[in-house]
Amino acid sequence: SALYVVPPGFVESSCRSRIFWMKLNKLLLQGKFFQLEINDPYAGPVLLDEKLASRCGYVLSEDVWGNPIFRASVLGCHVVNEADELFSLTVNIKVSSFSSMRAAVTYTYPMYCSYSSWASREIVCEENYMEVSVKTDVPAVSNDFTVAWMSALPETQNVAYQLWQLMFVSPSGRKRITVSDATKLGYSFNNTLSRVYLRAPYHSNESDTSMVSGVNMNMVTSTSMYRQRWLLLLIDTTVSCPVDGISFTDTTITWTVPSVIPTLVVQESTFLSKNILMGVDDRVIVNPQEKNYLLEHNETHIRITIPIGAEGGKLKSSISGGVYGVIYSIDLFLEHTWTDADWQTTKYTVIKSITTPFMPQIPTVINNTLPEERLFNVAFGHFLPDVSLVAIAIGNVPFTLREAQHHGFKIYETPFSNRTKGFILEVSFDDPYVLKEYVNRNETKYTLLVNYTISVGPEMTLYYHSAEVECVIADIELPEAVGYCDEENLYLAIPTFGLHQYWNLYLGNQLLNRHVALTNGYLAATNSTHLILQIPLFAVGVIYEEVSFQKIKARFDVALRKVRTMETLQMFSVSCSFNSSAFIICHPDGTIMISAQMKTVPAIDMSKTTLRDSSCKPKEYNEGHAFFKFHVTTCGTSIRFEGDHIIYENEISYEKETLPGQSIPTITRDPDYRLTVLCYYRTKETLVLGAFASDPSTSPPFGSGTMLPRSNIAVYRRVRQTLNVVSRVSKDESFMEFYEPNTAIVKRPMEPVFLEVELKDESPNIELYLENCWVTRSLDFNSTPRWNITVDG
């Protein structure tokens, strides 16, 4: 692959203490693949892999922002070392658009580090290796620092390298191996001009784990031995590093490292802590408290506490099991310098990348609805900047953001505190996708059902959240009815707004629809704003509040009930007084009131009319009318059952006067008079259904009415004059055998019916003419349908 100049801003590097740090800009690697090669000054490029990295002192990872990070110890395998003071390392960065790395572009990047303030012992605890280096003087061939000697030094060092041996002490026993064999086990051992170092992987076979002050430590106890003729040099290359010590609360991260590590400090009484530094990434934090970090230590522990979300780390959105949450990551290092009698000065560095467990954070829906503007305003949050809203569904109807804006929904982002954000949704109450429900007396409950679809993180994982927002406002005006009357009818004018949508009209417990209105004899008409009900005075459902001689105060009530709950909200009533010359009213309590109009020639004395019980006389009367009021249990009233009705029957009569002691009538012009009256009650109800009266009422003057909130039902049947007439149906034309009364008779179409009508009245002044004869389905001879038998005689 070709060599190219590194693009500006692609690579950043630094030298922190004795570690090379290099960061690659992830933005310039989007959609790309990359590899790192380490330039060996003698063997050329070597591909960096995990095994090489842990053995040679390299780390390849990512920072919390997702940028690739490369770190290398200055004692790494391929680092050029100049007198243990100047160090250089060259890295090849290979970038390709293909995972196979073909057609890769190679950028060569050299790094330099100057470090001369070596401590007697330095320990580095990296992510993937432990390294200890100690100051020692490898026996030299000569003290003559001539050019020739310096040029021979690498060979001298190589010879010395071959003479080193390592002895490991572990729970399984002692193991003594050569340096080359240790390399095969993943260790790296070498010596420089003034130092010897050992690099070990975590959890090797030769390592051991023990707990120190509550922290698990992985340690390799080893002695490096140099043998040459008469000289035996033993160097303690024991290393111990923490493998845990991280704890979390809902708000903080705590990292604990032991202050004194017994395997590294043999004479604890001589231990003296000199300096403790903490840092984030490759930067030392001089004043941790300024960033809300807490660095504290005592005789046993060094403790760093970081608030979750603190500067220097990164909060990242995540989805786990369909739940939204966050993860916080921060890269820390700790540098502890101490002295003791054995080692003079030890510099102990631990580099730790910390990531919290997944922390669920269920998004909240904040209802900022503005009822006075009839507008839902819903905030959905809090989210990190790596979250975006991609779609919504309103009332289970999906919309992309573009479609939602086009429909008229308003959607926009809004910043919240703590560097979070939310999404604002505005929807009108009157939008067709908003659910509307009539509640209480005059209120509407508006319900907004929202399903959010958000994209989380660079992986763009989809997360779904549903919300239901309600607002109840008093925006419905209950209708007010207007009542009035004419000479024969009561009227109710009721606004049609909301009828059948919010409420219905009820007559008692019966839904008042067109069929009921027609059956009861009402007339119903509508215009653009009102339903107008015309109710005849003697129609079903009219309540008679006051009844007196030739006068009736009548009321008609309609209940306004909610469609769903049947709750009564209003009673619409119209009440008027009417003048009526002839009527019969059957009250629910069994009281019967009759205003009888007697049309006889010559006229009779109305004060002498009686009911069957002659002691029951008119309450009021005049020349042509008599008013009776009695109970169905008095005045000789008879009772019979017919179908599902109870029929109460009485009779108004006028008897001719006779002389005392004589059985034959006196000579008089007074006619005989009888009027049969009937009241019908349903057997299963206490409500009156009606009666027969003599003639229709005469035209009364116009009445006036008012609205009253009352509830009752009374109904009527018109009264007709009843003569002593008997009709029977014969089984054939012989008229010898007749059907029993109240027997159902089944006839085919066009089949003859043999009907006999007989006048039983023996008065010579009465003759029978059969003018009109018809059949109906009920006892009400005015009911429909009807079938004519004879018409006009």
Side-chain angles (χ1 to χ4, degrees), residues 393-415:
I394 304 294
N396 296 322
V397 179
F399 294 90
T400 65
L401 295 189
R402 183 184 296 272
E403 291 169 343
Q405 299 280 8
H406 185 264
H407 178 80
F409 304 139
K410 191 173 181 182
I411 303 172
Y412 54 94
E413 287 190 7
T414 185

Side-chain angles (χ1 to χ4, degrees), residues 448-510:
L448 179 67
L449 299 177
V450 189
N451 285 286
Y452 296 92
T453 302
I454 62 174
S455 174
V456 177
E459 305 85 2
M460 292 188 285
T461 306
L462 294 183
Y463 169 74
Y464 306 95
H465 187 89
S466 60
E468 180 175 324
V469 182
E470 295 179 353
C471 185
V472 178
I473 58 173
D475 59 352
I476 294 178
E477 185 177 349
L478 287 178
E480 295 291 338
V482 176
Y484 54 92
C485 301
D486 62 16
E487 294 86 348
E488 299 179 352
N489 304 281
L490 300 94
Y491 294 87
L492 273 175
I494 303 168
T496 53
F497 168 77
L499 274 182
H500 313 305
Q501 178 186 2
Y502 300 135
W503 42 68
N504 282 319
L505 298 176
Y506 276 79
L507 184 62
N509 289 321
Q510 187 178 31

Side-chain angles (χ1 to χ4, degrees), residues 11 102 126 213 331 364 397 579 616:
V11 183
R102 62 185 175 89
E126 257 286 9
S213 300
D331 294 332
T364 57
V397 179
N579 293 323
C616 295

Side-chain angles (χ1 to χ4, degrees), residues 731-787:
K731 293 184 177 180
D732 55 32
E733 66 270 18
S734 67
F735 289 92
M736 298 296 292
E737 189 176 357
F738 296 90
Y739 289 103
E740 291 295 325
N742 301 322
T743 301
I745 304 172
V746 180
K747 292 290 185 178
R748 297 185 182 88
M750 306 306 294
E751 187 176 351
V753 177
F754 302 99
L755 179 66
E756 177 186 274
V757 182
E758 180 183 1
L759 177 62
K760 295 288 189 178
D761 202 313
E762 298 179 356
S763 173
N765 297 323
I766 298 177
E767 295 182 355
L768 176 63
Y769 293 94
L770 191 60
E771 182 178 13
N772 294 299
C773 183
W774 65 91
V775 177
T776 65
R777 284 181 172 174
S778 70
L779 294 175
D780 185 353
F781 61 86
N782 282 328
S783 66
T784 57
R786 80 182 219 178
W787 295 268

Side-chain angles (χ1 to χ4, degrees), residues 1-38:
S1 59
L3 295 176
Y4 291 82
V5 177
V6 176
F10 181 39
V11 183
E12 292 181 21
S13 65
S14 65
C15 177
R16 164 62 201 152
S17 188
R18 50 186 293 274
I19 296 175
F20 293 102
W21 296 69
M22 182 178 76
K23 179 172 74 173
L24 306 182
N25 189 336
K26 67 174 184 179
L27 298 177
L28 299 180
L29 288 172
Q30 285 185 344
K32 306 285 187 181
F33 300 90
F34 80 96
Q35 288 180 344
L36 293 186
E37 291 178 339
I38 310 299

